[in-house]
Structures are given as C-alpha cells and as structure tokens.
Tab-separated table of all heavy atoms in Angstrom:
chain	number	residue	atom	x	y	z
A	1	GLY	N	134.379	43.916	73.294
A	1	GLY	CA	135.293	44.228	74.391
A	1	GLY	C	134.575	44.570	75.685
A	1	GLY	O	134.983	44.156	76.760
A	2	GLY	N	133.501	45.359	75.564
A	2	GLY	CA	132.761	45.765	76.765
A	2	GLY	C	132.384	47.232	76.699
A	2	GLY	O	133.196	48.095	77.049
A	3	ILE	N	131.167	47.512	76.222
A	3	ILE	CA	130.715	48.894	76.094
A	3	ILE	C	130.550	49.526	77.466
A	3	ILE	O	130.111	48.885	78.419
A	3	ILE	CB	129.396	48.951	75.288
A	3	ILE	CG1	129.009	50.403	74.980
A	3	ILE	CG2	128.271	48.243	76.022
A	3	ILE	CD1	127.878	50.533	73.988
A	4	GLY	N	130.939	50.774	77.575
A	4	GLY	CA	130.821	51.472	78.846
A	4	GLY	C	131.938	51.179	79.823
A	4	GLY	O	131.860	51.588	80.975
A	5	THR	N	132.970	50.477	79.382
A	5	THR	CA	134.173	50.285	80.200
A	5	THR	C	135.344	50.926	79.465
A	5	THR	O	135.296	51.108	78.250
A	5	THR	CB	134.478	48.795	80.429
A	5	THR	OG1	134.823	48.179	79.171
A	5	THR	CG2	133.269	48.081	81.008
A	6	TYR	N	136.372	51.262	80.196
A	6	TYR	CA	137.532	51.870	79.532
A	6	TYR	C	138.427	50.805	78.908
A	6	TYR	O	138.932	50.962	77.804
A	6	TYR	CB	138.339	52.707	80.529
A	6	TYR	CG	139.470	53.460	79.870
A	6	TYR	CD1	139.236	54.675	79.244
A	6	TYR	CD2	140.767	52.957	79.861
A	6	TYR	CE1	140.268	55.372	78.619
A	6	TYR	CE2	141.800	53.635	79.245
A	6	TYR	CZ	141.543	54.853	78.625
A	6	TYR	OH	142.572	55.521	77.995
A	7	GLU	N	138.603	49.705	79.616
A	7	GLU	CA	139.492	48.655	79.124
A	7	GLU	C	138.878	47.880	77.954
A	7	GLU	O	139.600	47.360	77.090
A	7	GLU	CB	139.804	47.662	80.246
A	7	GLU	CG	140.499	48.273	81.462
A	7	GLU	CD	139.521	48.748	82.515
A	7	GLU	OE1	138.339	48.962	82.175
A	7	GLU	OE2	139.929	48.920	83.674
A	8	GLY	N	137.538	47.798	77.913
A	8	GLY	CA	136.857	46.979	76.918
A	8	GLY	C	137.188	47.309	75.480
A	8	GLY	O	137.546	46.416	74.696
A	9	PRO	N	137.083	48.571	75.047
A	9	PRO	CA	137.408	48.901	73.661
A	9	PRO	C	138.852	48.575	73.282
A	9	PRO	O	139.121	48.191	72.135
A	9	PRO	CB	137.149	50.402	73.591
A	9	PRO	CG	136.169	50.663	74.669
A	9	PRO	CD	136.511	49.715	75.769
A	10	ILE	N	139.771	48.718	74.214
A	10	ILE	CA	141.169	48.382	73.936
A	10	ILE	C	141.289	46.885	73.685
A	10	ILE	O	141.922	46.444	72.713
A	10	ILE	CB	142.069	48.808	75.109
A	10	ILE	CG1	141.961	50.324	75.337
A	10	ILE	CG2	143.517	48.402	74.850
A	10	ILE	CD1	142.656	50.807	76.592
A	11	LEU	N	140.660	46.094	74.546
A	11	LEU	CA	140.652	44.650	74.366
A	11	LEU	C	139.942	44.278	73.068
A	11	LEU	O	140.399	43.402	72.318
A	11	LEU	CB	139.954	43.990	75.557
A	11	LEU	CG	139.806	42.458	75.525
A	11	LEU	CD1	141.169	41.793	75.449
A	11	LEU	CD2	139.024	41.983	76.739
A	12	GLY	N	138.820	44.943	72.776
A	12	GLY	CA	138.089	44.668	71.545
A	12	GLY	C	138.893	44.996	70.303
A	12	GLY	O	138.822	44.267	69.301
A	13	ALA	N	139.655	46.083	70.341
A	13	ALA	CA	140.488	46.450	69.195
A	13	ALA	C	141.565	45.399	68.946
A	13	ALA	O	141.837	45.021	67.789
A	13	ALA	CB	141.126	47.820	69.423
A	14	VAL	N	142.188	44.918	70.017
A	14	VAL	CA	143.217	43.879	69.872
A	14	VAL	C	142.596	42.594	69.331
A	14	VAL	O	143.167	41.936	68.439
A	14	VAL	CB	143.912	43.627	71.229
A	14	VAL	CG1	144.856	42.428	71.133
A	14	VAL	CG2	144.671	44.871	71.682
A	15	LEU	N	141.421	42.236	69.835
A	15	LEU	CA	140.749	41.019	69.382
A	15	LEU	C	140.352	41.143	67.910
A	15	LEU	O	140.558	40.216	67.118
A	15	LEU	CB	139.522	40.748	70.249
A	15	LEU	CG	138.708	39.498	69.907
A	15	LEU	CD1	139.562	38.255	70.053
A	15	LEU	CD2	137.471	39.407	70.792
A	16	PHE	N	139.772	42.268	67.529
A	16	PHE	CA	139.370	42.475	66.144
A	16	PHE	C	140.580	42.450	65.216
A	16	PHE	O	140.544	41.857	64.131
A	16	PHE	CB	138.630	43.804	66.013
A	16	PHE	CG	138.323	44.182	64.592
A	16	PHE	CD1	137.351	43.498	63.876
A	16	PHE	CD2	138.998	45.208	63.966
A	16	PHE	CE1	137.066	43.832	62.564
A	16	PHE	CE2	138.724	45.549	62.658
A	16	PHE	CZ	137.747	44.862	61.951
A	17	PHE	N	141.653	43.099	65.638
A	17	PHE	CA	142.888	43.121	64.847
A	17	PHE	C	143.420	41.703	64.656
A	17	PHE	O	143.860	41.335	63.559
A	17	PHE	CB	143.922	43.990	65.570
A	17	PHE	CG	145.303	43.928	64.976
A	17	PHE	CD1	145.617	44.629	63.836
A	17	PHE	CD2	146.290	43.172	65.587
A	17	PHE	CE1	146.894	44.585	63.292
A	17	PHE	CE2	147.566	43.116	65.060
A	17	PHE	CZ	147.869	43.829	63.906
A	18	THR	N	143.370	40.896	65.703
A	18	THR	CA	143.850	39.515	65.608
A	18	THR	C	142.990	38.696	64.648
A	18	THR	O	143.508	37.945	63.807
A	18	THR	CB	143.845	38.858	67.007
A	18	THR	OG1	144.650	39.640	67.899
A	18	THR	CG2	144.404	37.449	66.940
A	19	ILE	N	141.671	38.851	64.763
A	19	ILE	CA	140.761	38.119	63.875
A	19	ILE	C	140.982	38.529	62.428
A	19	ILE	O	141.021	37.686	61.522
A	19	ILE	CB	139.302	38.367	64.293
A	19	ILE	CG1	139.029	37.754	65.665
A	19	ILE	CG2	138.331	37.793	63.265
A	19	ILE	CD1	137.668	38.095	66.231
A	20	GLU	N	141.128	39.834	62.199
A	20	GLU	CA	141.353	40.318	60.835
A	20	GLU	C	142.662	39.791	60.274
A	20	GLU	O	142.746	39.400	59.104
A	20	GLU	CB	141.361	41.844	60.815
A	20	GLU	CG	141.512	42.426	59.413
A	20	GLU	CD	141.775	43.903	59.446
A	20	GLU	OE1	142.758	44.319	60.098
A	20	GLU	OE2	141.009	44.642	58.811
A	21	THR	N	143.700	39.755	61.094
A	21	THR	CA	144.999	39.271	60.638
A	21	THR	C	144.931	37.794	60.257
A	21	THR	O	145.519	37.368	59.259
A	21	THR	CB	146.055	39.478	61.742
A	21	THR	OG1	146.142	40.880	62.055
A	21	THR	CG2	147.416	38.979	61.283
A	22	LEU	N	144.186	37.015	61.033
A	22	LEU	CA	144.124	35.569	60.793
A	22	LEU	C	143.136	35.195	59.694
A	22	LEU	O	143.396	34.269	58.914
A	22	LEU	CB	143.755	34.845	62.091
A	22	LEU	CG	144.760	34.951	63.241
A	22	LEU	CD1	144.219	34.277	64.483
A	22	LEU	CD2	146.102	34.341	62.846
A	23	PHE	N	142.006	35.914	59.624
A	23	PHE	CA	140.926	35.473	58.736
A	23	PHE	C	140.485	36.523	57.716
A	23	PHE	O	139.545	36.274	56.958
A	23	PHE	CB	139.699	35.064	59.573
A	23	PHE	CG	140.000	34.029	60.620
A	23	PHE	CD1	140.033	34.359	61.964
A	23	PHE	CD2	140.264	32.715	60.259
A	23	PHE	CE1	140.301	33.419	62.934
A	23	PHE	CE2	140.551	31.753	61.218
A	23	PHE	CZ	140.565	32.104	62.561
A	24	GLY	N	141.139	37.684	57.701
A	24	GLY	CA	140.714	38.753	56.810
A	24	GLY	C	140.749	38.381	55.341
A	24	GLY	O	139.971	38.900	54.530
A	25	ALA	N	141.633	37.476	54.962
A	25	ALA	CA	141.772	37.107	53.555
A	25	ALA	C	140.650	36.201	53.067
A	25	ALA	O	140.558	35.912	51.869
A	25	ALA	CB	143.125	36.413	53.324
A	26	THR	N	139.770	35.755	53.959
A	26	THR	CA	138.697	34.836	53.542
A	26	THR	C	137.505	35.560	52.934
A	26	THR	O	136.541	34.918	52.514
A	26	THR	CB	138.218	34.000	54.743
A	26	THR	OG1	137.717	34.881	55.761
A	26	THR	CG2	139.349	33.170	55.310
A	27	GLY	N	137.541	36.897	52.903
A	27	GLY	CA	136.518	37.659	52.215
A	27	GLY	C	135.181	37.675	52.917
A	27	GLY	O	135.067	38.020	54.098
A	28	VAL	N	134.137	37.273	52.192
A	28	VAL	CA	132.767	37.350	52.713
A	28	VAL	C	132.601	36.501	53.968
A	28	VAL	O	131.901	36.884	54.909
A	28	VAL	CB	131.761	36.906	51.630
A	28	VAL	CG1	130.344	36.912	52.196
A	28	VAL	CG2	131.857	37.815	50.416
A	29	THR	N	133.258	35.362	54.018
A	29	THR	CA	133.165	34.486	55.190
A	29	THR	C	133.629	35.214	56.443
A	29	THR	O	133.036	35.072	57.530
A	29	THR	CB	134.002	33.224	54.975
A	29	THR	OG1	133.581	32.576	53.781
A	29	THR	CG2	133.868	32.274	56.149
A	30	TYR	N	134.663	36.004	56.306
A	30	TYR	CA	135.203	36.774	57.427
A	30	TYR	C	134.163	37.775	57.938
A	30	TYR	O	133.932	37.898	59.149
A	30	TYR	CB	136.471	37.483	56.964
A	30	TYR	CG	136.869	38.702	57.742
A	30	TYR	CD1	137.346	38.595	59.036
A	30	TYR	CD2	136.788	39.974	57.165
A	30	TYR	CE1	137.727	39.727	59.751
A	30	TYR	CE2	137.168	41.101	57.857
A	30	TYR	CZ	137.632	40.973	59.143
A	30	TYR	OH	137.999	42.093	59.842
A	31	LEU	N	133.478	38.482	57.031
A	31	LEU	CA	132.473	39.465	57.425
A	31	LEU	C	131.268	38.793	58.084
A	31	LEU	O	130.721	39.297	59.071
A	31	LEU	CB	132.027	40.271	56.203
A	31	LEU	CG	133.120	41.129	55.544
A	31	LEU	CD1	132.572	41.804	54.296
A	31	LEU	CD2	133.652	42.173	56.522
A	32	ILE	N	130.868	37.648	57.536
A	32	ILE	CA	129.755	36.906	58.144
A	32	ILE	C	130.126	36.460	59.553
A	32	ILE	O	129.320	36.532	60.488
A	32	ILE	CB	129.377	35.699	57.269
A	32	ILE	CG1	128.803	36.174	55.927
A	32	ILE	CG2	128.374	34.793	57.984
A	32	ILE	CD1	128.544	35.067	54.944
A	33	GLY	N	131.363	36.009	59.713
A	33	GLY	CA	131.832	35.583	61.027
A	33	GLY	C	131.836	36.722	62.032
A	33	GLY	O	131.453	36.535	63.195
A	34	LEU	N	132.231	37.929	61.589
A	34	LEU	CA	132.203	39.078	62.480
A	34	LEU	C	130.775	39.391	62.922
A	34	LEU	O	130.517	39.643	64.107
A	34	LEU	CB	132.804	40.305	61.777
A	34	LEU	CG	134.324	40.370	61.625
A	34	LEU	CD1	134.713	41.660	60.927
A	34	LEU	CD2	135.021	40.279	62.973
C-alpha cells in the first residue's frame, strides 16, 4: 500500500483482502504469490 503514508495501509488492506478472497483457497500457491 505504501509504508509511511496514511492512505497506503488502508489501500493495502483492501488489496490483500481482495487477493485473499479470490485466491485464498489455492493454498500454498496463494502464499507463494503473496
């Protein structure tokens, strides 16, 4: 999202949540992708 910015972590949380929702069920592949 952007370390040292206020908006960055909020954007990063939304992005991470979206990735987890779409690809979280893929298991190890999902963690490697992160």
Side-chain angles (χ1 to χ4, degrees):
I3 188 169
T5 66
Y6 185 83
E7 300 91 340
I10 300 172
L11 178 60
V14 173
L15 180 61
F16 173 72
F17 171 78
T18 303
I19 294 173
E20 183 191 56
T21 300
L22 296 176
F23 305 108
T26 60
V28 177
T29 304
Y30 157 70
L31 296 176
I32 294 174
L34 284 181

